[in-house]
């Protein structure tokens, strides 16, 4: 039933594209939207391929939940200085059914032509495409590479950000700084899957530049991630406490909040029909915690033939160490040692190669077909519901999507 409702909503949204501009914009109130109607499947039922923080992915049966979403955005201009914006997004995230979340909700204050302040729920500028990562039409690929975007799943904070824009000749400089608190849910795929709630005071800054066909963006953010209901971890820490390793359990847990930093550098180029995009990022724990340090990267290359854009991408992430020191007298083998060192402290690793094509066949509409070859290398990579020993067979994922904006 919920799938039918989403399809009906998408079709209704497509119908809105035919509405006159005066209906959607009365001078002060403007309404816009975006969405994707997608279907995908893989070549195995042993594991599920999913987006980051997604409870239900795809296996060997075609499903629409992996990539389909629908977003609506409204902006009301109060006067020349103040405006208010809200955005809601329907998608499959930490639930196996479609849910609707408030992704943006802020009051914008235009200080001058170069500086504006936003107060409320704002996007965390962690990645190159943070502002539009959920807008399929604005992206070349069907979905952001999970190898990169799965390393920092926090998307927004309730707080304040300051944006500064300045032109230096043909070079446009953009700086964004934010501070606030993120609250939400995290999907934990181990032990059959569970959902944990979290609270994370966060702050960060991003600096970007545009020059002709080039865009460069450097971002850094830190969050004090606090969660006391990560079920598999709580079970393990209780066991460690009973066998005399309570401090090890406390070091691993997120109880009380643990500081984690994320730094990324991204580049895009759209020059003479050549499209290039790439990012490199590091995640580092600043306090002892079970979350491993990682390095992640991806590159994408495409060439535009009129309205058709074929593209290729390679993405990967791997472990870069851990922040927890295991006591010298801790068992070197056995079930407890495996649970601590393998299940939690060691990083999963994965790479993938994909090819796809985008066809902009009509105004505000794009059709995409994409084939991913996923290569898990440790702990089933980013694939969900793998066996305890890990899954290292290559997985092929085939998908098609209709992206639209209105």
């Amino acid at each position: 039933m919920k799938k039918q409702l989403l399809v009906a909503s998408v079709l209704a949204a497509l119908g809105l594209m035919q509405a006159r501009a005066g209906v959607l914009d009365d001078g002060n109130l403007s309404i816009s939207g975006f969405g994707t109607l997608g279907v995908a499947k893989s070549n195995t039922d042993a594991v599920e391929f999913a987006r980051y923080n997604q409870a239900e992915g795809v296996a060997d049966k075609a499903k629409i939940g992996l990539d389909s979403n629908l977003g609506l955005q409204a902006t009301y201009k109060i006067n020349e200085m103040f405006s208010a914006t809200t955005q809601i997004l329907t998608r499959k995230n930490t639930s196996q059914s479609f849910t609707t979340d408030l992704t943006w909700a802020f009051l914008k204050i235009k200080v001058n032509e170069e500086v504006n302040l936003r107060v409320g729920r704002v996007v965390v500028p962690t990645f190159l495409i943070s502002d539009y990562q959920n807008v399929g039409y604005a992206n070349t690929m069907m979905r952001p590479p999970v190898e990169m975007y799965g390393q920092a799943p926090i998307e927004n904070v309730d707080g304040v950000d300051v944006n500064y824009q300045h032109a230096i000749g043909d070079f446009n400089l953009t700086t964004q700084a934010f501070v606030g608190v993120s609250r939400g849910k995290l999907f934990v795929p181990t032990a059959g899957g569970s959902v944990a709630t979290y609270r994370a005071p966060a702050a960060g800054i991003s600096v970007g530049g545009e020059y002709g066909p080039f865009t460069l963006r450097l971002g850094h953010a830190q969050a004090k991630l606090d969660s006391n209901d990560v079920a598999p971890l709580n079970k393990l820490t209780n066991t460690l406490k009973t066998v005399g390793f309570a401090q090890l359990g406390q070091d691993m847990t997120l109880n009380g909040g643990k500081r984690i930093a994320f730094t990324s550098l991204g580049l895009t180029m759209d020059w003479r029909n050549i499209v290039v995009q790439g990012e490199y990022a590091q995640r580092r724990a600043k306090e002892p915690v079970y979350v491993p340090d990682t390095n992640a990267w991806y590159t994408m290359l495409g060439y535009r033939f009129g309205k058709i854009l074929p593209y290729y991408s390679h993405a990967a992430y791997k472990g870069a160490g851990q922040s927890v020191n295991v006591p010298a007298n801790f068992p070197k083998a056995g079930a407890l040692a495996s649970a601590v060192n393998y299940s939690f402290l060691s990083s999963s690793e994965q790479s993938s190669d994909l090819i796809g094509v985008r066809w902009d066949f009509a105004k505000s509409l794009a059709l995409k077909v994409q084939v991913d070859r996923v290569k898990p290398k440790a702990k089933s990579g980013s694939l969900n519901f793998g066996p305890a020993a890990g899954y290292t067979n290559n997985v092929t994922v085939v998908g098609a999507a209709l992206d639209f904006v209105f």
Side-chain angles (χ1 to χ4, degrees), residues 164-335:
Y164 170 75
Q165 297 181 351
H166 181 70
I168 307 171
D170 293 332
F171 179 80
N172 293 314
L173 173 69
T174 302
T175 302
Q176 180 181 357
F178 78 93
V179 62
V181 178
S182 179
R183 300 175 181 85
K185 298 178 181 180
L186 296 174
F187 177 68
V188 184
T190 57
S194 60
V195 177
T197 57
Y198 75 87
R199 180 182 183 275
I205 187 170
S206 72
V207 179
E210 295 183 19
Y211 183 78
F214 300 97
T215 299
L216 182 70
R217 185 170 185 175
L218 173 66
H220 178 78
Q222 289 199 24
K224 195 173 182 67
L225 187 61
D226 186 357
S227 179
N228 60 12
D229 58 355
V230 182
L233 182 60
N234 288 349
K235 182 179 180 181
L236 176 60
T237 55
N238 289 337
T239 300
L240 290 171
K241 184 176 181 179
T242 61
V243 297
F245 293 99
Q247 185 58 52
L248 175 60
Q250 180 58 38
D251 287 347
M252 294 176 63
T253 187
L254 289 167
N255 292 351
K258 299 293 180 69
R259 287 191 304 116
I260 301 173
F262 190 83
T263 305
S264 68
L265 177 65
L267 169 72
T268 64
M269 183 194 78
D270 194 335
W271 177 72
R272 294 186 177 180
N273 295 323
I274 301 172
V275 180
V276 176
Q277 182 174 314
E279 286 184 82
Y280 174 80
Q282 294 183 344
R283 184 180 68 196
R284 297 291 186 266
K286 299 302 182 179
E287 297 178 86
V289 67
Y290 82 93
V291 180
D293 295 342
T294 59
N295 296 331
W297 62 92
Y298 75 88
T299 58
M300 185 212 71
L301 174 65
Y303 190 88
R304 188 179 292 107
F305 298 91
K307 296 183 178 181
I308 297 177
L309 173 59
Y311 56 88
Y312 162 79
S313 178
H314 174 79
Y317 74 96
K318 61 171 54 179
Q322 62 188 50
S323 58
V324 174
N325 293 319
V326 179
N329 63 336
F330 189 75
K332 299 297 189 292

